[in-house]
Amino acid sequence: YKTKSTILSCLFIALNFGAEAAATTTASEYRQLGLLYRQQGRQQEAIAVMQKSVELEPENITGKINLGWTLHLSGQEQQ
């Protein structure tokens, strides 16, 4: 239920506040927001918040994989 709650929180933020990333504070929240953006086709925004997630938790492999895959999908693998 925690993951569902986090996703719903991110969705609420994304739908109601234009600057949703400003309300995000943890690497996990940035990862979830990035996945939401990627699903919506908002690749550049997804990359930006996923990069923030990796900055906050550089040892988190999931964050790096999410970022790498999003870069690949957007054609920016070289970053």
Side-chain angles (χ1 to χ4, degrees):
Y1 293 109
K2 185 176 181 180
T3 301
K4 184 176 182 179
S5 174
T6 301
I7 292 170
L8 290 176
S9 294
C10 289
L11 180 59
F12 175 79
I13 291 168
L15 293 175
N16 292 299
F17 303 102
E20 55 279 329
T24 304
T25 58
T26 68
S28 177
E29 290 171 330
Y30 279 111
R31 281 191 300 277
Q32 293 300 320
L33 187 57
L35 292 172
L36 176 66
Y37 284 160
R38 188 173 76 191
Q39 184 178 22
Q40 295 174 342
R42 297 164 63 182
Q43 302 298 339
Q44 295 308 311
E45 292 164 290
I47 291 166
V49 295
M50 288 181 182
Q51 286 173 331
K52 181 66 175 177
S53 171
V54 171
E55 286 176 25
L56 292 173
E57 284 185 356
E59 71 287 349
N60 187 299
I61 297 301
T62 301
K64 290 180 178 182
I65 291 170
N66 287 340
L67 175 58
W69 186 244
T70 304
L71 287 167
H72 170 73
L73 292 173
S74 70
Q76 300 179 43
E77 296 97 347
Q78 302 302 320
Q79 288 190 358

